[in-house]
Short mmCIF file of all heavy atoms in Angstrom, two decimals:
data_model
loop_
_atom_site.label_atom_id
_atom_site.label_comp_id
_atom_site.label_asym_id
_atom_site.label_seq_id
_atom_site.Cartn_x
_atom_site.Cartn_y
_atom_site.Cartn_z
N ILE A 1 -9.48 -8.80 4.87
CA ILE A 1 -8.41 -9.77 4.44
C ILE A 1 -9.18 -11.08 4.20
O ILE A 1 -9.97 -11.55 4.92
CB ILE A 1 -7.39 -9.80 5.56
CG1 ILE A 1 -6.29 -10.77 5.06
CG2 ILE A 1 -7.91 -10.28 6.89
CD1 ILE A 1 -4.99 -10.72 5.95
N THR A 2 -8.80 -11.66 3.05
CA THR A 2 -9.32 -13.05 2.67
C THR A 2 -8.51 -14.13 3.29
O THR A 2 -7.57 -13.87 3.98
CB THR A 2 -9.37 -13.11 1.10
OG1 THR A 2 -8.00 -13.26 0.70
CG2 THR A 2 -9.97 -12.03 0.37
N ARG A 3 -9.06 -15.31 3.15
CA ARG A 3 -8.38 -16.48 3.68
C ARG A 3 -7.04 -16.64 3.04
O ARG A 3 -6.07 -17.13 3.75
CB ARG A 3 -9.21 -17.70 3.50
CG ARG A 3 -8.87 -18.88 4.24
CD ARG A 3 -9.98 -19.83 4.54
NE ARG A 3 -10.86 -20.05 3.28
CZ ARG A 3 -11.99 -20.73 3.28
NH1 ARG A 3 -12.47 -21.11 4.36
NH2 ARG A 3 -12.54 -20.95 2.06
N GLY A 4 -6.81 -16.21 1.85
CA GLY A 4 -5.65 -16.25 1.18
C GLY A 4 -4.82 -14.94 1.40
O GLY A 4 -3.77 -14.89 0.73
N SER A 5 -5.26 -14.13 2.25
CA SER A 5 -4.34 -12.95 2.72
C SER A 5 -4.42 -11.77 1.65
O SER A 5 -3.43 -10.93 1.65
CB SER A 5 -3.02 -13.41 3.15
OG SER A 5 -3.02 -14.18 4.32
N THR A 6 -5.40 -11.78 0.73
CA THR A 6 -5.52 -10.55 -0.01
C THR A 6 -6.22 -9.48 0.81
O THR A 6 -7.24 -9.68 1.44
CB THR A 6 -6.35 -10.92 -1.21
OG1 THR A 6 -5.74 -11.93 -2.02
CG2 THR A 6 -6.51 -9.71 -2.05
N THR A 7 -5.66 -8.34 0.79
CA THR A 7 -6.27 -7.17 1.64
C THR A 7 -6.78 -6.02 0.85
O THR A 7 -6.48 -5.71 -0.29
CB THR A 7 -5.03 -6.74 2.50
OG1 THR A 7 -4.07 -6.12 1.73
CG2 THR A 7 -4.62 -7.80 3.44
N THR A 8 -7.65 -5.32 1.56
CA THR A 8 -8.25 -4.10 1.03
C THR A 8 -8.31 -3.13 2.17
O THR A 8 -8.35 -3.46 3.29
CB THR A 8 -9.62 -4.17 0.40
OG1 THR A 8 -10.49 -4.60 1.40
CG2 THR A 8 -9.71 -5.20 -0.77
N TYR A 9 -8.24 -1.77 1.92
CA TYR A 9 -8.20 -0.73 2.94
C TYR A 9 -9.09 0.36 2.61
O TYR A 9 -9.19 0.71 1.35
CB TYR A 9 -6.79 -0.25 3.21
CG TYR A 9 -5.86 -1.26 3.62
CD1 TYR A 9 -5.07 -1.98 2.79
CD2 TYR A 9 -5.72 -1.52 5.07
CE1 TYR A 9 -4.18 -2.97 3.39
CE2 TYR A 9 -4.93 -2.47 5.55
CZ TYR A 9 -4.13 -3.10 4.59
OH TYR A 9 -3.16 -4.18 5.05
N ALA A 10 -9.69 1.05 3.57
CA ALA A 10 -10.34 2.34 3.29
C ALA A 10 -9.31 3.34 2.89
O ALA A 10 -8.15 3.37 3.35
CB ALA A 10 -11.11 2.74 4.53
N ASP A 11 -9.73 4.27 2.13
CA ASP A 11 -8.83 5.35 1.69
C ASP A 11 -8.13 6.12 2.89
O ASP A 11 -7.01 6.54 2.81
CB ASP A 11 -9.54 6.32 0.76
CG ASP A 11 -9.87 5.80 -0.66
OD1 ASP A 11 -9.26 4.64 -1.00
OD2 ASP A 11 -10.60 6.37 -1.35
N SER A 12 -8.91 6.29 3.91
CA SER A 12 -8.54 7.13 5.06
C SER A 12 -7.49 6.44 5.92
O SER A 12 -6.77 7.12 6.72
CB SER A 12 -9.74 7.38 5.95
OG SER A 12 -10.43 6.18 6.38
N VAL A 13 -7.21 5.09 5.68
CA VAL A 13 -6.18 4.52 6.44
C VAL A 13 -5.11 3.88 5.64
O VAL A 13 -4.04 3.28 6.11
CB VAL A 13 -6.84 3.36 7.31
CG1 VAL A 13 -7.93 3.90 8.18
CG2 VAL A 13 -7.36 2.16 6.54
N GLN A 14 -5.22 3.92 4.32
CA GLN A 14 -4.19 3.36 3.26
C GLN A 14 -2.84 3.93 3.66
O GLN A 14 -2.83 5.10 3.80
CB GLN A 14 -4.68 3.65 1.87
CG GLN A 14 -3.78 3.05 0.84
CD GLN A 14 -4.04 1.50 0.69
OE1 GLN A 14 -5.08 1.08 0.62
NE2 GLN A 14 -2.87 0.91 0.69
N GLY A 15 -2.00 2.99 3.69
CA GLY A 15 -0.63 3.50 4.05
C GLY A 15 -0.31 3.65 5.50
O GLY A 15 0.96 3.78 5.78
N ARG A 16 -1.23 3.56 6.30
CA ARG A 16 -0.99 3.75 7.63
C ARG A 16 -1.31 2.46 8.52
O ARG A 16 -0.58 2.25 9.56
CB ARG A 16 -1.80 4.91 8.33
CG ARG A 16 -1.54 6.22 7.69
CD ARG A 16 -2.09 7.40 8.50
NE ARG A 16 -3.62 7.28 8.26
CZ ARG A 16 -4.44 7.18 9.38
NH1 ARG A 16 -3.87 7.17 10.73
NH2 ARG A 16 -5.81 7.11 9.13
N PHE A 17 -2.32 1.78 8.16
CA PHE A 17 -2.85 0.62 8.75
C PHE A 17 -2.50 -0.69 8.04
O PHE A 17 -2.51 -0.52 6.63
CB PHE A 17 -4.41 0.55 9.02
CG PHE A 17 -4.86 1.52 9.93
CD1 PHE A 17 -4.04 2.63 10.49
CD2 PHE A 17 -6.15 1.56 10.31
CE1 PHE A 17 -4.60 3.57 11.33
CE2 PHE A 17 -6.67 2.51 11.30
CZ PHE A 17 -5.91 3.48 11.75
N THR A 18 -2.24 -1.79 8.64
CA THR A 18 -1.94 -3.06 8.02
C THR A 18 -2.68 -4.14 8.67
O THR A 18 -2.61 -4.28 9.83
CB THR A 18 -0.53 -3.38 8.05
OG1 THR A 18 0.34 -2.45 7.45
CG2 THR A 18 -0.19 -4.73 7.34
N ILE A 19 -3.51 -4.85 7.81
CA ILE A 19 -4.31 -5.93 8.41
C ILE A 19 -3.54 -7.28 8.07
O ILE A 19 -3.00 -7.36 7.00
CB ILE A 19 -5.84 -5.99 7.83
CG1 ILE A 19 -6.55 -7.04 8.53
CG2 ILE A 19 -5.71 -6.20 6.37
CD1 ILE A 19 -7.98 -7.02 8.24
N SER A 20 -3.53 -8.26 9.00
CA SER A 20 -2.89 -9.51 8.68
C SER A 20 -3.65 -10.61 9.44
O SER A 20 -4.49 -10.29 10.39
CB SER A 20 -1.56 -9.53 9.25
OG SER A 20 -1.40 -9.17 10.59
N ARG A 21 -3.44 -11.79 9.19
CA ARG A 21 -4.09 -12.93 9.88
C ARG A 21 -3.22 -14.19 9.96
O ARG A 21 -2.19 -14.27 9.30
CB ARG A 21 -5.46 -13.36 9.16
CG ARG A 21 -5.14 -13.93 7.78
CD ARG A 21 -6.63 -14.21 7.01
NE ARG A 21 -7.42 -15.09 7.61
CZ ARG A 21 -8.72 -15.20 7.37
NH1 ARG A 21 -9.31 -14.51 6.41
NH2 ARG A 21 -9.46 -16.13 7.98
N ASP A 22 -3.39 -14.96 11.00
CA ASP A 22 -2.73 -16.10 11.25
C ASP A 22 -3.84 -17.24 11.24
O ASP A 22 -4.51 -17.40 12.31
CB ASP A 22 -1.91 -16.04 12.49
CG ASP A 22 -1.06 -17.28 12.66
OD1 ASP A 22 -1.34 -18.49 12.14
OD2 ASP A 22 -0.01 -17.20 13.39
N ASN A 23 -3.98 -17.87 10.23
CA ASN A 23 -5.10 -18.85 10.11
C ASN A 23 -4.93 -20.03 11.18
O ASN A 23 -5.89 -20.65 11.56
CB ASN A 23 -5.27 -19.47 8.76
CG ASN A 23 -5.67 -18.37 7.80
OD1 ASN A 23 -6.39 -17.48 8.03
ND2 ASN A 23 -5.21 -18.48 6.46
N ALA A 24 -3.69 -20.52 11.33
CA ALA A 24 -3.35 -21.51 12.21
C ALA A 24 -3.70 -21.28 13.65
O ALA A 24 -4.10 -22.16 14.36
CB ALA A 24 -1.85 -21.83 12.13
N LYS A 25 -3.63 -19.93 14.01
CA LYS A 25 -4.06 -19.48 15.31
C LYS A 25 -5.23 -18.90 15.46
O LYS A 25 -5.76 -18.41 16.59
CB LYS A 25 -2.96 -18.43 15.89
CG LYS A 25 -1.60 -19.00 16.09
CD LYS A 25 -0.60 -17.99 16.63
CE LYS A 25 0.81 -18.60 16.85
NZ LYS A 25 1.76 -17.59 17.41
N ASN A 26 -6.10 -18.75 14.33
CA ASN A 26 -7.35 -18.24 14.25
C ASN A 26 -7.44 -16.67 14.85
O ASN A 26 -8.22 -16.33 15.66
CB ASN A 26 -8.36 -19.03 15.16
CG ASN A 26 -8.42 -20.47 14.65
OD1 ASN A 26 -8.46 -20.65 13.50
ND2 ASN A 26 -8.47 -21.31 15.56
N MET A 27 -6.45 -16.02 14.28
CA MET A 27 -6.30 -14.64 14.76
C MET A 27 -6.26 -13.75 13.58
O MET A 27 -5.69 -14.00 12.49
CB MET A 27 -4.90 -14.49 15.56
CG MET A 27 -4.92 -15.16 16.92
SD MET A 27 -5.90 -14.58 18.19
CE MET A 27 -4.90 -13.06 18.52
N VAL A 28 -6.66 -12.41 13.71
CA VAL A 28 -6.41 -11.30 12.81
C VAL A 28 -6.11 -10.21 13.57
O VAL A 28 -6.37 -9.92 14.68
CB VAL A 28 -7.77 -11.12 12.01
CG1 VAL A 28 -8.86 -10.65 13.01
CG2 VAL A 28 -7.54 -10.20 10.91
N TYR A 29 -5.20 -9.36 12.90
CA TYR A 29 -4.46 -8.17 13.54
C TYR A 29 -4.76 -6.98 12.73
O TYR A 29 -4.88 -7.05 11.57
CB TYR A 29 -3.14 -8.48 13.75
CG TYR A 29 -2.67 -9.74 14.47
CD1 TYR A 29 -2.31 -10.94 13.74
CD2 TYR A 29 -2.76 -9.85 15.86
CE1 TYR A 29 -2.08 -12.10 14.33
CE2 TYR A 29 -2.37 -11.01 16.46
CZ TYR A 29 -2.06 -12.07 15.71
OH TYR A 29 -1.81 -13.39 16.32
N LEU A 30 -4.64 -5.85 13.42
CA LEU A 30 -4.61 -4.45 12.73
C LEU A 30 -3.55 -3.75 13.35
O LEU A 30 -3.75 -3.29 14.45
CB LEU A 30 -5.98 -3.84 12.89
CG LEU A 30 -6.15 -2.43 12.01
CD1 LEU A 30 -6.15 -2.80 10.56
CD2 LEU A 30 -7.41 -1.80 12.43
N GLN A 31 -2.52 -3.51 12.58
CA GLN A 31 -1.42 -2.56 12.95
C GLN A 31 -1.69 -1.19 12.53
O GLN A 31 -1.80 -0.92 11.41
CB GLN A 31 0.02 -3.10 12.37
CG GLN A 31 1.10 -2.24 12.83
CD GLN A 31 1.42 -2.27 14.20
OE1 GLN A 31 1.48 -3.36 14.76
NE2 GLN A 31 1.71 -1.11 14.87
N MET A 32 -1.86 -0.34 13.52
CA MET A 32 -2.15 1.10 13.18
C MET A 32 -1.13 2.02 13.49
O MET A 32 -0.64 2.07 14.71
CB MET A 32 -3.44 1.52 13.96
CG MET A 32 -4.66 0.57 13.79
SD MET A 32 -6.06 1.12 14.74
CE MET A 32 -5.46 0.88 16.44
N ASN A 33 -0.51 2.66 12.50
CA ASN A 33 0.60 3.56 12.64
C ASN A 33 0.12 4.91 12.33
O ASN A 33 -0.83 5.18 11.64
CB ASN A 33 1.81 3.12 11.77
CG ASN A 33 2.32 1.81 12.22
OD1 ASN A 33 2.35 1.40 13.32
ND2 ASN A 33 2.82 1.10 11.08
N SER A 34 0.90 6.00 12.75
CA SER A 34 0.65 7.38 12.39
C SER A 34 -0.75 7.70 12.74
O SER A 34 -1.50 8.30 11.92
CB SER A 34 1.01 7.63 10.86
OG SER A 34 2.30 7.38 10.55
N LEU A 35 -1.18 7.37 13.93
CA LEU A 35 -2.49 7.63 14.30
C LEU A 35 -2.93 9.06 14.39
O LEU A 35 -2.12 9.86 14.80
CB LEU A 35 -2.91 6.89 15.58
CG LEU A 35 -2.99 5.36 15.56
CD1 LEU A 35 -2.91 4.72 16.87
CD2 LEU A 35 -4.41 4.98 14.88
N LYS A 36 -4.20 9.34 14.04
CA LYS A 36 -4.67 10.69 13.93
C LYS A 36 -5.92 10.79 14.92
O LYS A 36 -6.58 9.74 15.21
CB LYS A 36 -5.19 11.05 12.62
CG LYS A 36 -4.09 10.98 11.50
CD LYS A 36 -4.59 11.30 10.15
CE LYS A 36 -3.60 11.09 9.03
NZ LYS A 36 -4.11 11.48 7.71
N PRO A 37 -6.24 11.90 15.45
CA PRO A 37 -7.49 12.05 16.29
C PRO A 37 -8.73 11.54 15.65
O PRO A 37 -9.54 11.05 16.32
CB PRO A 37 -7.64 13.59 16.66
CG PRO A 37 -6.15 13.96 16.54
CD PRO A 37 -5.51 13.21 15.34
N GLU A 38 -8.75 11.64 14.24
CA GLU A 38 -9.98 11.20 13.61
C GLU A 38 -10.05 9.76 13.39
O GLU A 38 -11.06 9.11 13.05
CB GLU A 38 -10.07 11.79 12.19
CG GLU A 38 -8.80 11.71 11.40
CD GLU A 38 -7.95 12.92 11.38
OE1 GLU A 38 -7.82 13.57 12.52
OE2 GLU A 38 -7.52 13.35 10.38
N ASP A 39 -9.03 8.98 13.93
CA ASP A 39 -9.12 7.56 14.11
C ASP A 39 -9.82 7.04 15.35
O ASP A 39 -9.97 5.87 15.42
CB ASP A 39 -7.70 6.98 14.05
CG ASP A 39 -7.01 7.11 12.67
OD1 ASP A 39 -7.74 7.06 11.63
OD2 ASP A 39 -5.71 7.45 12.66
#
């Protein structure tokens, strides 16, 4: 994720994971849904 919140994902997680950031709090997050054993 860029400073302007443009995102990219690996093909293996596309549609399941979401990256986000809060620049004011100096935090970045990764929401992981539909998890698989290979994760």
Side-chain angles (χ1 to χ4, degrees):
I1 184 166
T2 69
R3 193 152 50 190
S5 295
T6 298
T7 60
T8 62
Y9 297 92
D11 290 342
S12 59
V13 306
Q14 182 74 46
R16 299 188 297 120
F17 291 9
T18 302
I19 188 172
S20 61
R21 68 190 292 171
D22 186 334
N23 293 331
K25 295 182 177 180
N26 305 315
M27 298 284 291
V28 63
Y29 307 94
L30 185 68
Q31 178 67 46
M32 305 184 294
N33 298 325
S34 302
L35 283 162
K36 304 175 181 179
E38 50 263 44
D39 294 319

